[in-house]
Amino acid sequence: MIETNAPRDPASDPPVGPLVDAAPRPLPARIAHRGGAVTLEPLHARHGAELWRAAQGEAAAESFAYMGYGPFLTEAALATFVAEFAAQHDPLAWAVRPHVSGAAEGWITLMDIQPKNAAIEIGNIWFSPRMQRSRAATEAMYLLMRHAMDDLGYRRLVWKCNALNAPSRRAATRLGFVYEGELRAHLVIKGRRRDTAFFSMLDTEWPERRDAIAAWLDAANWDQDGRPKTSLGRRPV
């Protein structure tokens, strides 16, 4: 056998990903988050009555089209769902209380929580029709995004939705998530095939998006009629 002291060629090594901070990230806690237009409260059975009122009407029933549950036919059915949903640790749910109404008008969660991989998803989002496309709706999402990325230090924030859910896809793009592709025939929801669209945001992308959303939410960006002076469209890359 011939021995050689020739240096190893790094180019011959198999390709691997870059080294990262592999420390597990903390789990999110059941704490409230308050913004300028909305407060997130850890979901509790006591929110049931307010959420039932928010879920009334034809438009509210239609808003559950892409959810894995609902619409709820009785207040008791919704109360049971809320109590069970509130008891889970993953998804971890918050009730959404816009300051303009003072009533709980939806819920939002952090889910598929992977401390070891520093990955976490924002999802299971339901807002009443009155709250949709509002400053409070955007801030509710922003508060949990900021909590996951800034407070807890997660590296990957995920958004996924039914591939046919155009409003959810637009919301992901508007917030600055990057489209990754679709999983075909991924799930069966309410007896129907669901293809799932995946989006993500990395910690390296977050600071720019955080600043853009924060500037859009700032009181200086809103006129006296409650309308934003600028849009929150994603900047071209």
Side-chain angles (χ1 to χ4, degrees):
M1 183 174 70
I2 299 176
E3 296 184 2
T4 175
N5 292 321
R8 216 166 104 221
D9 180 8
S12 66
D13 292 341
V16 293
L19 290 171
V20 297
D21 175 6
R25 300 316 195 246
L27 291 168
R30 294 184 191 276
I31 58 174
H33 301 276
R34 183 177 177 86
V38 72
T39 296
L40 305 183
E41 302 171 356
L43 188 66
H44 190 277
R46 64 174 171 268
H47 291 112
E50 290 177 284
L51 292 170
W52 170 251
R53 290 192 289 272
Q56 298 310 293
E58 183 177 349
E62 292 175 354
S63 68
F64 285 98
Y66 295 108
M67 308 296 290
Y69 41 76
F72 300 93
L73 300 181
T74 66
E75 183 173 357
L78 178 60
T80 297
F81 168 79
V82 169
E84 293 177 351
F85 202 34
Q88 298 181 48
H89 297 285
D90 188 352
L92 185 60
W94 283 263
V96 181
R97 188 179 299 279
H99 298 165
V100 67
S101 70
E105 294 193 35
W107 55 76
I108 187 170
T109 82
L110 290 174
M111 56 187 286
D112 193 13
I113 304 165
Q114 302 180 33
K116 185 176 180 180
N117 296 320
I120 195 167
E121 178 183 346
I122 181 170
N124 260 311
I125 300 170
W126 181 80
F127 297 148
S128 71
R130 180 170 63 174
M131 188 182 160
Q132 291 171 13
R133 296 178 296 279
S134 69
R135 180 183 178 189
T138 297
E139 188 173 46
M141 296 181 284
Y142 169 72
L143 289 174
L144 284 194
M145 293 166 67
R146 187 180 66 184
H147 181 53
M149 303 300 272
D150 286 345
D151 299 340
L152 304 179
Y154 278 75
R155 182 167 44 249
R156 171 178 166 84
L157 182 62
V158 175
W159 179 293
K160 68 176 188 283
C161 63
N162 189 312
L164 299 175
N165 188 345
S168 184
R169 297 181 72 128
R170 286 195 298 268
T173 301
R174 176 173 172 268
L175 291 169
F177 285 83
V178 176
Y179 176 64
E180 294 182 328
E182 294 179 12
L183 294 186
R184 298 178 298 166
H186 179 220
L187 299 169
V188 175
I189 303 294
K190 297 176 180 175
R192 297 181 181 273
R193 163 181 158 170
R194 171 175 139 163
D195 299 345
T196 300
F198 276 77
F199 300 79
S200 70
M201 184 183 299
L202 303 185
D203 55 352
T204 52
E205 300 159 342
W206 164 243
E208 180 181 358
R209 295 313 304 159
R210 175 192 59 209
D211 294 348
I213 300 170
W216 186 84
L217 290 170
D218 190 88
N221 185 47
W222 294 80
D223 65 22
Q224 60 184 6
D225 296 318
R227 293 174 299 201
K229 299 175 183 177
T230 61
S231 66
L232 186 57
R234 187 179 169 204
R235 296 178 184 176
V237 294

